[in-house]
Amino acid sequence: MAQAFLRNESLTSSINLTNMHYLVTGAAGFLGANLAERLLNLGHQVTGLDNFHSGSRENVTQLQRQSRFRFIEHDVVRPYDVPCDVVCNLACPASPPHYQRDPIYTAKIAFLGTLHALENAERARARLLQASTSEIYGNPLVHPQPETYLGHVNLVGPRACYDEGKRLAETLCADYQRLGRVDARIVRIFNTYGSKMREDDGRVVTNFIKQALLGKPLTVYGQGQQTRSFCYVDDLVEGFLLVLNHPDNLGPINLGNPQEVSMLTLAQAVQKIIGSNLPLQHQPLPVDDPQQRCPDITKARTLLKWEPQVPLEQGLMQTVQYFKKSAIR
Ligand code: NAD
Ligand code: UDP
């Protein structure tokens, strides 16, 4: 249904996505830096745009080692004009402590940042990838979540600046698509982890790894029975490329790992890899923390032939190696 709704013939003519110029907003962040690195390795030219609101300068320094990378320091809340063939709109804090620190600014980033990405894409006649999120499903009453589920979001809760901001961002993309103005492709990203995350990111995987490496107790919020599904970053980036290279705009598409684990199970897995055995430290469950989350990836499996390849234990081991080498001080 979503496919027919969003299909716009004037936008879906196939474009050659090799040797192209990609604009990646949020390139200093976890996903942006991984995506930019992959695009550079594929031979593309990449312009990264970021204001370091939640990203890391080290990620940009590493990308700058490649001559086909250029960086622009800019706040996406203000318009910009960057000629390019593809816009990947990733700029937005994703970790709850980061996006809740200044909720009004987060709402502006989600809305104005996406509007400006779409305006830039329209001017440049570029295709656009919009980084949406499983948070648009809120605390879901349907499980696992298919793309057709419309969600269950507390619109006045502390997560709403992000959740509702990202929902409105999807609406903007759908309208630009429907009006034939931009081929805007929406990926709904479920919890992803891996190298290039900041050690003070505040999300659960980085918290647990950092705590275990420092010999501290792991902080489990609530009883730890809540579930998430963790996708390794390389798998996710592969999904981005498949969505962008597909001849059609398929409408919103879930990208995530369907292996669902509780936070207690995750804590045990991290402890096992690092060899830490301190008792867990239970802390209050944050307000509106979703109790369960797992993607239904039937659409991605069927239309993109995509599914995650990296098992949780392997991805955690690779992430621990990254933090051992670069991040934990
Ligand atoms: P991140 O915080 O590591 O990266 C976001 C980047 O955007 C940072 O470099 C930050 O400095 C930049 N940014 C934020 N506000 C900006 C502004 N006003 N102007 C310019 N740059 C700005 O987060 P991430 O995990 O890499 O997430 C990237 C995107 O993917 C986000 O849009 C997020 O909503 C989405 N997403 C991520 C996940 C995940 O699990 N990682 C899940 C769902 C959705
Ligand atoms: N969480 C936890 N300990 C932490 C950080 C998070 O138990 O140190 C829990 C959090 O309550 C949530 C889950 O881990 O249920 C995932 O949290 P994260 O912030 O990584 O992402 P999101 O809530 O956005 O899925």
Side-chain angles (χ1 to χ4, degrees), residues 96 159 191 203-204 207 219 221 226 228 263 289 293:
R159 297 175 86 99
N191 298 61
R203 283 175 275 191
V204 67
N207 276 6
T219 52
Y221 300 162
Q226 70 273 32
R228 296 291 187 274
M263 294 313 101
D289 197 280
R293 191 188 282 153

Side-chain angles (χ1 to χ4, degrees), residues 19-20 54 77 89 101 120 139 143 174 176 187 199 205 232 254-255 257 261 264 293:
N19 300 319
M20 306 214 87
S54 59
V77 161
N89 185 40
R101 196 165 297 139
N120 193 82
N139 190 10
H143 194 70
Y176 266 80
V187 285
E199 60 164 306
V205 172
Y232 189 65
N254 289 340
L255 293 180
N257 194 318
V261 293
L264 278 182
R293 191 188 282 153

Side-chain angles (χ1 to χ4, degrees), residues 8-36:
N8 188 314
E9 296 296 340
S10 64
L11 297 173
T12 50
S13 60
S14 76
I15 57 171
N16 171 15
L17 291 181
T18 55
N19 300 319
M20 306 214 87
H21 180 188
Y22 284 74
L23 169 65
V24 178
T25 76
F30 161 50
L31 295 182
N34 276 284
L35 173 62

Side-chain angles (χ1 to χ4, degrees), residues 6-223:
L6 283 170
R7 191 177 170 90
N8 188 314
E9 296 296 340
S10 64
L11 297 173
T12 50
S13 60
S14 76
I15 57 171
N16 171 15
L17 291 181
T18 55
N19 300 319
M20 306 214 87
H21 180 188
Y22 284 74
L23 169 65
V24 178
T25 76
F30 161 50
L31 295 182
N34 276 284
L35 173 62
E37 184 177 77
R38 179 76 194 278
L39 292 169
L40 289 165
N41 289 341
L42 289 170
H44 298 292
Q45 186 188 335
V46 177
T47 298
L49 188 149
D50 205 296
N51 71 345
F52 299 108
H53 177 53
S54 59
S56 105
R57 287 185 189 272
E58 175 55 26
N59 283 343
V60 172
T61 304
Q62 282 184 21
L63 293 168
Q64 280 171 326
R65 291 190 190 129
Q66 301 226 36
S67 59
R68 277 172 284 100
F69 181 77
R70 167 173 92 104
F71 183 69
I72 301 172
E73 188 162 346
H74 181 81
D75 184 339
V76 295
V77 161
R78 290 186 291 113
Y80 51 88
D81 189 6
V82 181
C84 59
D85 302 304
V86 182
V87 177
C88 300
N89 185 40
L90 275 63
C92 186
S95 162
H98 286 174
Y99 70 65
Q100 288 174 23
R101 196 165 297 139
D102 187 346
I104 313 289
Y105 185 46
T106 298
K108 282 185 182 171
I109 294 168
F111 171 58
L112 292 174
T114 304
L115 179 65
H116 296 148
L118 286 159
E119 287 175 349
N120 193 82
E122 184 176 27
R123 257 192 319 270
R125 298 180 177 278
R127 187 169 283 184
L128 180 136
L129 182 82
Q130 170 64 12
S132 189
T133 168
S134 54
E135 283 285 321
I136 63 103
Y137 298 122
N139 190 10
L141 303 178
V142 170
H143 194 70
Q145 295 81 55
E147 290 84 353
T148 46
Y149 179 51
L150 298 182
H152 181 235
V153 173
N154 175 6
L155 75 169
V156 291
R159 297 175 86 99
C161 57
Y162 181 76
D163 299 8
E164 294 293 350
K166 287 287 188 175
R167 288 172 69 92
L168 186 51
E170 283 204 21
T171 307
L172 277 175
C173 290
D175 282 330
Y176 266 80
Q177 169 74 23
R178 218 180 342 254
L179 294 168
R181 292 172 61 172
V182 175
D183 181 354
R185 303 183 173 204
I186 299 167
V187 285
R188 292 184 180 155
I189 305 164
F190 285 65
N191 298 61
T192 302
Y193 68 100
S195 61
K196 303 189 194 297
M197 293 183 95
R198 269 170 53 167
E199 60 164 306
D200 61 349
D201 178 88
R203 283 175 275 191
V204 67
V205 172
T206 38
N207 276 6
F208 283 179
I209 290 179
K210 180 180 158 187
Q211 289 157 351
L213 286 174
L214 293 174
K216 293 185 176 167
L218 274 54
T219 52
V220 171
Y221 300 162
Q223 291 309 304

